[in-house]
């Protein structure tokens, strides 16, 4: 036990909602502690966004105390206490329990239900990492450390509590949590906790896709996405979460895909830090680009026409990905649109340029185009051209687009081909992108 005078966790940095829950439980005679990421981050001097409370009150007793309370979960029953937009998660201390007794069940070593109540000591042992098992006790403002979390915190290390193999079998998502927390906190994963990844990583295939989507959001959309990506790659876990990405990176001889992914993730991280909105659609478009690109390319070289090849490739990539990570339809739809706009950036006809500029997904598609600068000189120039046209008034742009194609900044191949294909396309109204010259064969242009 570390008394208040010997640690830096102050009530000033704890949310109002969390304090009300802690004091409310305490006043009703229950044990109430802040636990998990919030205590860890406060000790590290950070500002946690969410606060978790652990108590010896049952969910029903919690509900009895707070009017603004919802009981959630069946496999892991919890109380959520709501204060406006703030949600304080209140978990009853879990006990070790004897298999088959009470509401705790394992299937092939995997925990499928965990609702056996226990003591605070037992609760500590059921948590994942030592640094996540520190308790801040509202009764005397002390920190309670049952498992050596304080010393790990000082050494910036992640140790699993208990036998690593058993703990990963109980819940394979803990492997991703290790990678994520290491990236977020810039901690190292103790070899005892990273050693089983190669053997047990495939168990992520048994995890719930909905849960893996939530975990993916925390990995990539909370300001340390690039660090998470590198950690996942180094630890060999990436292929179990984004198989297509891992395959495409293995083929990426010149590093163009890697630099696209790294630039995309760094951009997202910067936006998160600045408080700007970010969309998972863009993230998935970035991560899966390499795979969809080569699939579409392969289909085109077998004679499938461009739009159809892209559609099929996108479909195939998404089918594989959503089987592992449940990407909600609204995001996968937006992602496919970002991809579908890419070939259209090659077009230089007035009508098509204006149409693309007005497209609801233009911004995201254009940001994506800029990430592709490393692919080729042509791509870099294309990005610059679209950057420049956005600075022009509609009148100026009209004039620009009326110039002979060779005068366009985007240069010969790009403009030339788009212009050559144009008369055909015009005749087929509604057949967007279908008119392409078979004779020319699938040039890199058509596939880009
Ligand atoms: P962050 O909030 O930064 O994502 P966190 O550690 O608080 O990190 P949460 O998902 O909020 O993560 O979980 C809160 C706490 O619950 C953890 O600190 C840990 O003690 C416990 N916990 C969460 N997930 C698991 C798990 N899969 N197995 C065991 N304990 C877990
Ligand atoms: Mg948390």
């Amino acid at each position: 036990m570390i008394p208040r005078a010997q640690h830096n966790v102050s009530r000033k940095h704890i949310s109002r909602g969390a304090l009300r829950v802690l004091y409310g439980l305490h006043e009703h005679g229950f044990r109430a502690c802040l636990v998990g990421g919030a205590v860890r981050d406060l000790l590290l001097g950070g500002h946690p966004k969410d606060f978790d409370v652990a108590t010896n009150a049952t969910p029903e007793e919690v509900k009895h105390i707070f009017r603004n309370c919802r009981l959630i979960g069946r496999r892991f029953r919890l109380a959520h206490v709501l204060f406006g937009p703030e949600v304080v998660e209140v978990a009853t201390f879990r006990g070790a329990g004897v298999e088959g007794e009470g509401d705790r069940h394992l299937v092939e070593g995997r925990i499928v239900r965990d609702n056996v109540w226990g003591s605070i000591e037992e609760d500590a042992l059921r948590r994942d990492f030592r640094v996540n098992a520190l308790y801040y006790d509202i009764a005397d403002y002390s920190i309670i450390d049952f498992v050596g979390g304080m010393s790990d915190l000082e050494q910036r290390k992640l140790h699993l509590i208990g036998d690593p193999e058993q703990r990963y079998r109980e819940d394979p998502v803990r492997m991703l949590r290790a990678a994520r927390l290491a990236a977020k906190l810039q901690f190292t994963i103790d070899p005892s906790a990273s050693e089983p990844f190669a053997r047990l990583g495939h168990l992520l295939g048994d995890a719930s896709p909905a849960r893996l989507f939530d975990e993916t959001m925390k990995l990539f959309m909370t300001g340390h996405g690039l660090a998470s990506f590198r950690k996942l790659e180094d630890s060999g876990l990436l292929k179990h979460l984004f198989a297509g990405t891992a395959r495409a990176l293995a083929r990426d001889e010149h590093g163009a895909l890697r630099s696209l992914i790294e630039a995309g993730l760094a951009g997202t991280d910067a936006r998160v830090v600045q408080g700007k909105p970010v969309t998972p659609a863009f993230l998935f478009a970035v991560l899966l680009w390499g795979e969809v690109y080569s699939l579409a390319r392969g289909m085109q070289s077998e004679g499938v026409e461009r739009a159809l090849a892209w559609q099929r490739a996108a479909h195939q990539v998404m089918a594989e990905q959503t089987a592992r990570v449940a990407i909600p339809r609204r995001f996968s739809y937006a992602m496919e649109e970002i991809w579908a706009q890419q070939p259209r950036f090659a077009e230089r006809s007035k009508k098509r340029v204006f149409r693309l500029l007005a497209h609801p997904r233009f911004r995201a598609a254009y940001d994506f185009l800029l990430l592709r600068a490393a692919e080729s000189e042509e791509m870099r120039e294309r990005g610059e051209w679209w950057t420049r046209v956005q600075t022009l008034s509609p009148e100026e742009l009209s004039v620009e687009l009326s110039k002979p194609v060779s005068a366009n900044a985007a240069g010969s191949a790009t403009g030339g081909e788009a212009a050559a294909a144009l008369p055909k396309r015009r005749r087929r109204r509604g057949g967007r992108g279908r008119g392409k010259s078979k004779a020319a064969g699938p040039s890199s242009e058509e596939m880009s």
Side-chain angles (χ1 to χ4, degrees), residues 198-439:
R199 267 180 303 117
L200 304 179
H202 70 276
L203 294 175
L204 283 165
D206 301 330
S208 121
R211 210 171 145 215
L212 291 181
F213 175 76
D214 294 342
E215 197 56 35
T216 299
M217 292 298 96
K218 290 190 183 179
L219 278 160
F220 294 111
M221 306 286 286
T222 56
H224 50 83
L226 180 54
S228 290
F229 170 75
R230 289 182 175 153
K231 250 312 170 254
L232 287 176
E233 237 204 333
D234 293 347
S235 60
L237 293 173
L238 184 69
K239 61 176 177 293
H240 300 295
L241 198 60
F242 288 92
T245 312
R247 282 196 302 269
L249 281 168
R251 295 189 297 261
D252 182 36
E253 282 168 36
H254 305 294
L257 177 61
R258 177 171 307 278
S259 66
L260 177 138
I261 291 177
E262 298 211 336
L265 293 174
T268 300
D269 288 346
R271 292 183 64 89
V272 171
V273 171
Q274 292 160 28
K276 292 184 184 165
V278 285
T279 168
F282 194 78
L283 167 78
F284 294 118
V286 164
L287 287 173
L288 297 170
W289 171 250
E291 188 71 347
V292 77
Y293 183 84
S294 52
L295 269 176
R297 197 182 191 116
M299 287 184 204
Q300 279 179 268
S301 66
E302 282 161 18
V304 180
E305 94 32 61
R306 187 181 79 184
L308 189 61
W310 273 94
Q311 206 180 14
R312 281 190 193 158
H315 190 82
Q316 192 174 322
V317 169
M318 285 316 290
E320 180 189 47
Q321 191 56 53
T322 51
R324 181 59 48 101
V325 176
I327 302 172
R329 189 63 199 128
R330 65 183 186 283
F331 297 137
S332 58
Y333 180 74
M335 183 201 72
E336 283 171 30
E337 277 199 319
I338 292 172
W339 288 342
Q341 303 308 310
Q342 294 307 309
R344 298 189 184 141
F345 284 108
E347 321 257 10
R348 290 294 176 273
S349 85
K350 204 182 284 186
K351 190 171 111 192
R352 282 167 185 271
V353 167
F354 277 102
R355 188 197 281 165
L356 188 50
L357 283 168
H359 193 282
R361 210 70 71 186
F362 174 79
R363 192 75 221 171
Y366 160 76
D367 286 343
F368 194 88
L369 174 72
L370 294 185
L371 291 180
R372 299 178 56 202
E375 263 173 39
S376 63
E377 183 57 19
E378 190 184 339
M379 274 322 219
R380 198 183 56 73
E381 283 176 1
R382 192 179 295 176
E384 281 171 5
W385 191 84
W386 282 92
T387 303
R388 194 167 60 81
V389 300
Q390 291 174 74
T391 66
L392 304 177
S393 68
E395 295 73 27
E396 289 168 329
L397 181 54
S398 281
V399 173
E400 164 98 20
L401 293 169
S402 310
K403 288 181 200 164
V405 164
S406 58
N408 278 348
S412 48
T414 309
E417 193 210 283
L422 213 65
K424 264 189 184 169
R425 286 182 181 164
R426 278 217 179 107
R427 262 180 266 123
R428 294 203 210 175
R429 290 196 65 94
R432 287 181 116 192
R434 248 190 278 143
K436 80 164 183 77
S437 50
K438 198 86 225 304

Side-chain angles (χ1 to χ4, degrees), residues 92-115:
T92 306
F93 297 143
R94 257 49 182 189
V98 176
E99 174 57 13
E101 269 177 38
D103 197 12
R104 179 162 192 269
H105 301 280
L106 284 87
V107 171
E108 290 166 7
R110 209 153 32 92
I111 295 181
V112 293
R113 260 174 117 85
D114 193 357
N115 293 312

Side-chain angles (χ1 to χ4, degrees), residues 82-266:
L82 315 171
F83 298 93
E86 191 189 351
V87 180
V88 180
E89 202 164 274
V90 185
T92 306
F93 297 143
R94 257 49 182 189
V98 176
E99 174 57 13
E101 269 177 38
D103 197 12
R104 179 162 192 269
H105 301 280
L106 284 87
V107 171
E108 290 166 7
R110 209 153 32 92
I111 295 181
V112 293
R113 260 174 117 85
D114 193 357
N115 293 312
V116 170
W117 314 141
S119 66
I120 185 168
E121 290 89 339
E122 289 174 308
D123 187 76
L125 298 176
R126 312 242 8 95
R127 295 186 176 268
D128 48 6
F129 301 99
R130 291 181 191 168
V131 294
N132 283 349
L134 293 162
Y135 297 74
Y136 169 84
D137 194 340
I138 201 69
D140 59 5
Y141 313 122
S142 65
I143 300 273
I144 316 170
D145 178 5
F146 297 101
V147 291
M150 286 302 263
S151 127
D152 279 11
L153 216 54
E154 274 156 34
Q155 295 173 55
R156 306 184 77 81
K157 263 195 174 174
L158 293 172
H159 266 111
L160 267 175
I161 299 167
D163 173 52
E165 169 130 6
Q166 185 197 342
R167 300 308 311 277
Y168 289 142
R169 286 193 184 277
E170 281 175 359
D171 180 8
V173 175
R174 288 173 183 153
M175 290 183 264
L176 295 178
R177 288 179 52 86
R180 173 166 72 80
L181 292 174
K184 170 180 160 160
L185 306 169
Q186 293 165 286
F187 275 29
T188 53
I189 307 174
D190 188 79
S192 62
S194 57
E195 175 275 323
F197 289 170
R199 267 180 303 117
L200 304 179
H202 70 276
L203 294 175
L204 283 165
D206 301 330
S208 121
R211 210 171 145 215
L212 291 181
F213 175 76
D214 294 342
E215 197 56 35
T216 299
M217 292 298 96
K218 290 190 183 179
L219 278 160
F220 294 111
M221 306 286 286
T222 56
H224 50 83
L226 180 54
S228 290
F229 170 75
R230 289 182 175 153
K231 250 312 170 254
L232 287 176
E233 237 204 333
D234 293 347
S235 60
L237 293 173
L238 184 69
K239 61 176 177 293
H240 300 295
L241 198 60
F242 288 92
T245 312
R247 282 196 302 269
L249 281 168
R251 295 189 297 261
D252 182 36
E253 282 168 36
H254 305 294
L257 177 61
R258 177 171 307 278
S259 66
L260 177 138
I261 291 177
E262 298 211 336
L265 293 174

Side-chain angles (χ1 to χ4, degrees), residues 62-80:
V62 176
K63 190 169 167 62
H64 210 74
I65 298 173
F66 304 99
R67 254 188 315 117
N68 43 341
C69 176
R70 307 258 173 288
L71 301 189
I72 62 150
R74 266 181 300 140
R75 291 139 65 100
F76 197 88
R77 291 173 54 214
L78 289 171
H80 274 177

